[in-house]
Amino acid sequence: MNRKAAAAATRPERSNFEPERDCSSCPRLAAYRTTNRVAEPQWHNAPVRNFGPAEARLLIVGLAPGLRGANRTGRPFTGDFAGDLLYQTLLEFGFAKGVYRASAEDDLQLVDCAITNAVRCAPPQNKPTPAEINGCRPFLAATLEAAPNLQVILALGRIAHESIIRAYGLKLSGVPFAHGAEHFLPRMDANSLLLFDSYHCSRYNTNTGVLTPQMFRAVFIRLRETMGANT
Ligand code: SF4
């Protein structure tokens, strides 16, 4: 199968970029969701929808909802440490406005930026299996397809990076993940598409020094230089 055909095969209809609340494609994650609904009935406990305008030029792709973060609040990266660093950085660089209060009910708005996850349901220990990553990729592919102005993608971590590459039907060996890397992705249309890589802004990565806030800011400095100021 050539690259174009492979991309088309993984791409559902434009309207299918949000899974059903009870999506059962990943039995282990569906069972985990059921357990969490019983234990924490006030939590979201469902696939987490994309956040931000579909017409944004920048799409940020994370790994999966954190159990007590997005899985609790229902908004990507909201309510845990990773969100504290991400939203603080987005506000600093003009990709968000309002006040982030770690709640889906705050008045934070994304500006020319949207956020999704490679896997939409919270996995145990934050570790989705390869089958679950593959199973949720059609929703990522549809999100990419449904972004008419997309120019730049920021992959937070290797899993997000690899799922994006596969969603476009490209070979991983030709586009290796590396923190701070910038990749030009060929597209079927004439518009250019740049993929930026960063280590995931998780508490583990920052606590261990894998990713410092300065390293994260440096990626956003390059993003801003590439995209220019918001108009
Ligand atoms: S991770 Fe994605 S494909 Fe799997 S059950 Fe959740 S929404 Fe469905």
Side-chain angles (χ1 to χ4, degrees):
M1 185 182 293
N2 63 29
R3 180 164 58 81
K4 189 172 183 178
T10 60
R11 189 184 305 141
E13 298 298 318
R14 287 171 70 96
S15 59
N16 287 353
F17 59 85
E18 297 294 358
E20 299 287 333
R21 176 174 168 80
D22 293 319
C23 178
S24 58
S25 295
C26 307
R28 185 183 74 122
L29 301 190
Y32 190 51
R33 197 168 59 210
T34 299
T35 300
N36 291 325
R37 284 178 181 175
V38 171
E40 301 288 352
Q42 304 304 317
W43 290 9
H44 175 70
N45 289 321
V48 174
R49 299 172 71 88
N50 297 340
F51 179 39
E55 64 273 16
R57 289 183 300 155
L58 170 64
L59 178 67
I60 298 173
V61 183
L63 168 57
L67 177 63
R68 292 175 178 76
N71 178 66
R72 175 174 59 85
T73 63
R75 195 174 72 180
F77 285 90
T78 298
D80 58 15
F81 178 88
D84 290 347
L85 178 55
L86 177 61
Y87 286 118
Q88 173 190 327
T89 308
L90 291 176
L91 284 162
E92 178 182 353
F93 284 88
F95 289 111
K97 62 183 180 181
V99 178
Y100 173 66
R101 293 192 177 90
S103 163
E105 310 305 317
D106 62 23
D107 67 351
L108 188 85
Q109 291 179 278
L110 298 184
V111 180
D112 203 14
C113 168
I115 305 175
T116 191
N117 277 314
V119 174
R120 300 294 192 94
C121 295
Q125 284 82 50
N126 289 324
K127 288 181 180 165
T129 66
E132 290 159 356
I133 298 164
N134 291 340
C136 213
R137 186 167 307 113
F139 298 109
L140 174 62
T143 296
L144 295 167
E145 176 71 10
N149 302 324
L150 186 62
Q151 293 180 4
V152 178
I153 305 171
L154 171 60
L156 297 179
R158 183 183 302 276
I159 289 175
H161 168 100
E162 293 186 353
S163 205
I164 292 163
I165 297 304
R166 288 193 161 111
Y168 281 115
L170 301 171
K171 283 193 165 70
L172 296 181
S173 58
V175 196
F177 173 83
H179 177 80
E182 302 174 19
H183 311 275
F184 174 76
L185 300 185
R187 292 216 302 197
M188 306 315 157
D189 56 34
N191 297 323
S192 62
L193 185 60
L194 265 173
L195 171 63
F196 284 71
D197 289 339
S198 171
Y199 291 132
H200 194 283
C201 49
S202 65
R203 181 190 295 272
Y204 178 84
N205 278 348
T206 52
N207 281 354
T208 56
V210 169
L211 178 73
T212 65
Q214 292 73 23
M215 290 167 65
F216 202 48
R217 289 187 76 256
V219 172
F220 277 84
I221 288 170
R222 279 293 301 137
L223 277 174
R224 215 12 126 194
E225 287 173 353
T226 301
M227 295 179 64
N230 283 326
T231 54

